[in-house]
Amino acid sequence: MTETLRPRTPTRLLDVDALRGFALFGILVVNLAYFASGYPFHLVADPAHGSWLDDSVEFGVRLLFEMKFYLLFSFLFGYSFTLQLAAAGRAGANFTTRFVRRLGGLFVLGGLHAVLLFQGDILTTYALLGLVLLAVHRIQSRTAVIAAGAIVGVVAVGMAVAALAGVELVTDQEAALAAGRASTDALAGGLGSVIGEHLRSLPTMAGSLAVQGPLALAAFLVGLAAGRRKLLADGLGRHTGALRRLELVGYPIGLAGALVFAIGGGTTNLAGLAVSVLTAPLLVSAYVATLLRVFATPRGGRLARALAPAGRMALSNYLGQSLLGVLIFTGVGLGLTGDTPPAVVPVVAVGIFAVQLELSRRWLTRYRYGPAEWVLRAVTNAERPQMRR
């Protein structure tokens, strides 16, 4: 592979935006299943769809996507934090005040997102964890990586102990199926019914974030350490060997762990989850290593430039994905919830993301920020930013 390096713009890092765009796609593939059916919220399969194709596609999503892409998104959150910190230092701004305002705006947007669009929102968790990141942002890079490893280890051991103790996440299959049917019917209803289902599901989703939250914090810390060392800003010249080693280690171990996770039924199995917690970071690292090497080639550079606009508008696109999920699947829109086979859901995700790529490109030719980014920037700086270029 010829690794021709491309020039960097001084204000943004193309690879960071492109990786964020890639993460958005993976998150969409996972999240869209929760719009297509109410059963996944209750950790059971929709009995209306059980063909070999549906099962195969769901297995593939568990293998390659679930428990992976939010880690990449979280890593990039931590990395971008260092870029914001550096920019604030150059501007002589009060970074702490501005960042706290930013987190407050993110929390409000996340709360509205959870109630109106998708109860599986991650923004409120990011806003709270951002306060932790701010509190420890002077931590040494080596200490940050060690702390991240410790967090991952504690979560994995806790799950393994629970699995050995016979703890089951679904204790009553029939009750879970009945709850899945009720959730599917609610999502197929009107706006009031959909919002009501979101509100009822919030405690359950908060419980799942008890796992995702610590792992996201661990990824924040690794991103912080990587940002300190400017690992995505210096080109591949001195990192090529490290990237290849990440691929050589990350793919075999990461895919083996993902296979255990997928065979065990994904998030329904504590033992499989424990394995995934330990190995998913390696698989994500391998994904990143491969993408960075691809982005450094002429053809890969075109791919990076195609993904980057979506990454620059990540917040708007994340919220937009949920809005489109509501309009396509729930009774607010086309009412396809419960009637869409799992094999079709990733195809819909590809279509949505393709539209977002083109809309993001066109939007950014005329405007400086995405709509949600503009709102968050206004809250952060306590002023009205200039929108048009």
Side-chain angles (χ1 to χ4, degrees):
M1 181 180 293
T2 304
E3 292 167 344
T4 304
L5 301 184
R6 293 170 283 104
R8 309 285 178 163
T9 61
T11 54
R12 297 195 66 96
L13 297 176
L14 179 67
D15 289 349
V16 173
D17 289 330
L19 287 173
R20 194 177 289 111
F22 177 69
L24 273 173
F25 173 67
I27 289 170
L28 174 63
V29 171
V30 175
N31 284 353
L32 212 59
Y34 294 89
F35 292 92
S37 173
Y39 287 89
F41 283 113
H42 303 280
L43 303 180
V44 288
D46 190 334
H49 306 293
S51 70
W52 69 267
L53 182 59
D54 289 334
D55 292 342
S56 298
V57 170
E58 287 187 313
F59 184 88
V61 170
R62 288 197 296 268
L63 180 72
L64 300 175
F65 291 87
E66 277 190 32
M67 297 291 292
K68 283 86 176 174
F69 282 84
Y70 82 93
L71 293 176
L72 175 54
F73 211 76
S74 302
F75 166 83
L76 293 171
F77 185 98
Y79 193 98
S80 297
F81 173 83
T82 65
L83 301 180
Q84 296 166 29
L85 190 61
R90 289 192 299 271
N94 187 333
F95 177 77
T96 300
T97 300
R98 291 174 61 188
F99 191 68
V100 169
R101 284 203 298 258
R102 182 181 184 85
L103 295 177
L106 193 65
F107 187 87
V108 171
L109 286 174
L112 293 173
H113 177 233
V115 172
L116 299 177
L117 300 177
F118 181 49
Q119 63 269 52
D121 169 76
I122 195 70
L123 299 179
T124 51
T125 302
Y126 275 21
L128 295 174
L129 293 178
L131 293 173
V132 179
L133 186 64
L134 179 63
V136 302
H137 76 276
R138 298 185 187 279
I139 190 174
Q140 294 294 319
S141 298
R142 183 172 180 272
T143 305
V145 173
I146 292 173
I151 292 170
V152 170
V154 168
V155 173
V157 169
M159 287 183 172
V161 170
L164 291 173
V167 176
E168 295 184 358
L169 297 178
V170 180
T171 56
D172 188 333
Q173 188 78 7
E174 291 300 320
L177 287 170
R181 178 71 264 168
S183 293
T184 300
D185 291 341
L187 291 174
L191 181 61
S193 177
V194 170
I195 292 176
E197 173 61 20
H198 291 169
L199 291 172
R200 283 191 296 273
S201 301
L202 285 179
T204 301
M205 296 311 298
S208 69
L209 290 175
V211 173
Q212 281 191 325
L215 298 179
L217 177 60
F220 280 11
L221 293 172
V222 175
L224 177 69
R228 288 260 188 80
R229 295 179 178 271
K230 300 182 180 180
L231 294 184
L232 301 180
D234 297 335
L236 294 184
R238 63 190 184 92
H239 301 309
T240 301
L243 294 178
R244 286 175 174 162
R245 286 192 292 273
L246 278 176
E247 290 174 314
L248 289 173
V249 174
Y251 280 122
I253 298 177
L255 286 173
L259 188 62
V260 172
F261 173 72
I263 291 174
T267 54
T268 64
N269 182 282
L270 277 171
L273 266 174
V275 173
S276 179
V277 166
L278 288 174
T279 60
L282 290 172
L283 184 55
V284 171
S285 299
Y287 285 168
V288 170
T290 298
L291 283 170
L292 290 176
R293 294 183 63 205
V294 169
F295 290 163
T297 66
R299 287 187 179 181
R302 290 194 289 272
L303 173 62
R305 289 189 291 274
L307 289 170
R312 288 183 61 183
M313 294 175 52
L315 180 58
S316 295
N317 282 318
Y318 174 69
L319 297 174
Q321 289 172 357
S322 295
L323 177 61
L324 289 173
V326 167
L327 294 177
I328 292 171
F329 290 103
T330 75
V332 177
L334 300 179
L336 300 179
T337 299
D339 297 326
T340 307
V344 176
V345 175
V347 178
V348 178
V350 170
I352 289 175
F353 191 65
V355 170
Q356 287 191 313
L357 287 178
E358 179 60 18
L359 289 179
S360 298
R361 183 189 67 81
R362 294 191 178 196
W363 181 275
L364 289 175
T365 60
R366 300 181 62 184
Y367 302 104
R368 295 173 181 268
Y369 317 106
E373 286 76 12
W374 184 89
V375 171
L376 196 58
R377 191 175 185 88
V379 172
T380 300
N381 297 334
E383 63 182 20
R384 182 186 178 91
Q386 181 181 345
M387 185 64 154
R388 284 188 174 272
R389 290 191 175 278

